[in-house]
Amino acid sequence: MRKYVIMGVQGSGKGTQSTMLCADLDLVHISVGDLFRWHVQNHTKLGAQVRRAMRAGELVGDDLVESVVRGRLDQHDWNFGFVIDGFPRNGRQAEFFMESYDIDGVIHLELPDDEVRRRVLSRRLCPGCGMDYNLIADRPEVEGRCDICGTALITREDDTPEALAARLRDYYEKTRPVLELFRRKEVIHDVYAGTAVEQVQAGIRETLGLPAYNPKS
Ligand code: AMP
């Protein structure tokens, strides 16, 4: 059983790296942001509760976040383990998490702020299949259309300069101290995220002592 947390500033590639990590190791990727986005897109009651905060780039209240995380982990569909992404994001969430689950490692993706802005503001998302694009490094073949399902690409509502500034502020004020907490527990694995996607993945696997990436296995 492997239980990892992936942390890092916005745009550091948490989603991409988690997906690659889960692909051949049979881990389940649990992205709290994706869970919330699903609720917003499907107009659920929870979606209505979180939409305003998400749009402004603010953190959703801890009670809601904890019940979503608990509900997701209680599904116990993660026989080989999970990678949780976007959680914990503050001290209270970290305490809740550590009381309930043992963690095998925390992957910390590091990226300088100017690169964060460059990446986040050029990010596009397919609302059909969830595929991520980047207008600088990973453009779709047909402008504005998903390569996989052809749906028109959108910009995440919180990928605006204003919302990004709010998210970065929260990251440094609230999430950084969580990193320090994990660091004291010696579970942190720092990986520089400014290189090619495959290179970052190789760095993660090396530091965690995992087999090399093999998507066909
Ligand atoms: P992300 O995709 O991880 O950037 O998350 C998108 C948005 O979902 C965040 O800006 C928050 O509004 C909300 N969110 C995701 N995870 C959390 C969390 N652990 N605590 C509070 N809000 C969260």
Side-chain angles (χ1 to χ4, degrees), residues 157-173:
E157 278 187 334
D158 55 354
D159 281 349
T160 60
E162 298 74 26
L164 177 60
R167 288 153 75 205
L168 284 176
R169 205 170 43 240
D170 269 340
Y171 183 78
Y172 288 113
E173 279 174 16

Side-chain angles (χ1 to χ4, degrees), residues 5-7 30 32 62 65-66 69 73 84-89 92-94 96-97 182:
V5 170
I6 191 160
M7 297 183 67
I30 299 176
V32 178
D62 291 330
V65 175
E66 284 171 20
V69 169
L73 289 171
I84 190 156
D85 155 5
F87 181 90
R89 260 172 140 115
R92 183 178 138 182
Q93 294 179 9
F96 155 81
F97 193 51
F182 285 140

Side-chain angles (χ1 to χ4, degrees), residues 15-141:
T16 307
Q17 296 299 333
S18 303
T19 305
M20 290 170 81
L21 200 54
C22 292
D24 56 330
L25 296 172
D26 280 331
L27 308 179
V28 174
H29 176 206
I30 299 176
S31 159
V32 178
D34 283 352
L35 289 172
F36 284 148
R37 274 185 286 279
W38 184 90
H39 281 276
V40 170
Q41 260 169 23
N42 290 282
H43 303 284
T44 67
K45 190 170 159 218
L46 177 67
Q49 288 170 297
V50 301
R51 179 161 193 189
R52 194 203 54 79
M54 286 186 79
R55 193 184 242 170
E58 291 164 7
L59 291 182
V60 168
D62 291 330
D63 290 338
L64 274 184
V65 175
E66 284 171 20
S67 75
V68 164
V69 169
R70 194 193 304 271
R72 181 65 191 83
L73 289 171
D74 280 353
Q75 289 178 17
H76 286 287
D77 55 345
W78 36 278
N79 295 336
F80 297 96
F82 57 77
V83 178
I84 190 156
D85 155 5
F87 181 90
R89 260 172 140 115
N90 61 27
R92 183 178 138 182
Q93 294 179 9
E95 268 170 40
F96 155 81
F97 193 51
M98 287 191 301
E99 274 166 18
S100 314
Y101 304 94
D102 305 321
I103 309 167
D104 295 303
V106 175
I107 304 154
H108 171 219
L109 299 180
E110 297 178 287
L111 198 67
D113 275 3
D114 49 354
E115 179 64 9
V116 167
R117 278 191 202 88
R118 206 175 73 95
R119 283 191 186 185
V120 169
L121 300 179
S122 62
R123 181 155 69 179
R124 297 293 180 271
L125 180 72
C126 173
C129 67
M131 185 79 182
D132 254 330
Y133 293 85
N134 185 292
L135 300 187
I136 306 164
D138 189 13
R139 301 181 69 90
E141 269 170 36

